[in-house]
Amino acid sequence: MSTLSFSQAQDAIVAVGRWLDGKGWAPATSGNYSARLDDGSIAVTVSGRHKGRLTRDDVMRVNAEGVSLDGKKPSAETALHLALYRLFPACGAVLHSHSATAVGLSRATPGAGYTFTGHEMLKALPGIATHETSVVLPIVPNSQDMAELDAAITPHLLVPGAIPAYLIRSHGLYGWGQDMAEAERVIEAVEWMIAAELAERSFR
């Protein structure tokens, strides 16, 4: 159960927005971030805000059904965040990045996933203790229909050994964790492995 207050979540989301923007992973007003609160509601970024310039006023609250609790308009993809919180009761934070490399990989990769093998960075993902393994990053087709996206990705997330991340083709990366720090670590590790894979291709 989360012990995060709304005030703490506001500060964490503002900070992560600046971090992701500094990495070049939140261009224009793309991306959305959320955290589960101690009262069961969800703190989430307000729709259409530049993530590198967030203030506390750009973070709002919704209930478990996505209904605004303060009259502000939540990010269009809030439903995808809520689906993860319902699916994984231990999930405490969800991040959605839009790096050029992640989008490029999703566009260049046919099929429903991309396999990472042998990366030391795999050990940054929850539950993985060795580089001598392989994991699949699911890739689902983009859609403006959040229910359609949720239905497409959920079966992949329930596969034994599934990692807490997935790509929406031509769109971006979702990653989550028990708290904001773990969600950041997942996003950074997966983004790094994507960049490393693309760099490897350039040397072939």
Side-chain angles (χ1 to χ4, degrees), residues 121-134:
M121 196 62 67
L122 286 168
K123 295 192 293 185
L125 301 178
I128 297 179
T130 175
H131 71 282
E132 295 179 335
T133 190
S134 296

Side-chain angles (χ1 to χ4, degrees), residues 81-154:
H81 292 243
L82 298 178
L84 291 169
Y85 290 122
R86 286 193 296 269
L87 197 59
F88 303 112
C91 177
V94 179
L95 301 175
H96 178 35
S97 58
H98 281 248
S99 77
T101 49
V103 171
L105 183 76
S106 77
R107 292 170 63 89
T109 303
Y114 188 90
T115 301
F116 296 115
T117 300
H119 284 286
E120 182 72 11
M121 196 62 67
L122 286 168
K123 295 192 293 185
L125 301 178
I128 297 179
T130 175
H131 71 282
E132 295 179 335
T133 190
S134 296
V135 302
V136 175
L137 177 65
I139 304 174
V140 295
N142 197 9
S143 173
Q144 299 304 304
D145 185 330
M146 297 302 109
E148 183 178 307
L149 277 173
D150 181 30
I153 191 57
T154 295

Side-chain angles (χ1 to χ4, degrees), residues 9-24:
Q10 285 175 303
D11 289 341
I13 289 173
V14 167
V16 82
R18 292 175 181 166
W19 173 67
L20 286 164
D21 181 60
K23 293 279 192 180

Side-chain angles (χ1 to χ4, degrees), residues 6 10 13-14 18 33 43-61 70 72-75:
F6 181 47
Q10 285 175 303
I13 289 173
V14 167
R18 292 175 181 166
Y33 323 130
V44 64
T45 42
V46 175
S47 178
R49 305 298 168 87
H50 191 291
K51 304 310 182 294
R53 305 181 194 127
L54 293 176
T55 68
R56 281 184 161 207
D57 193 52
D58 298 318
V59 182
M60 61 175 293
R61 290 171 63 237
D70 49 23
K72 297 178 182 179
K73 182 182 177 182
S75 176

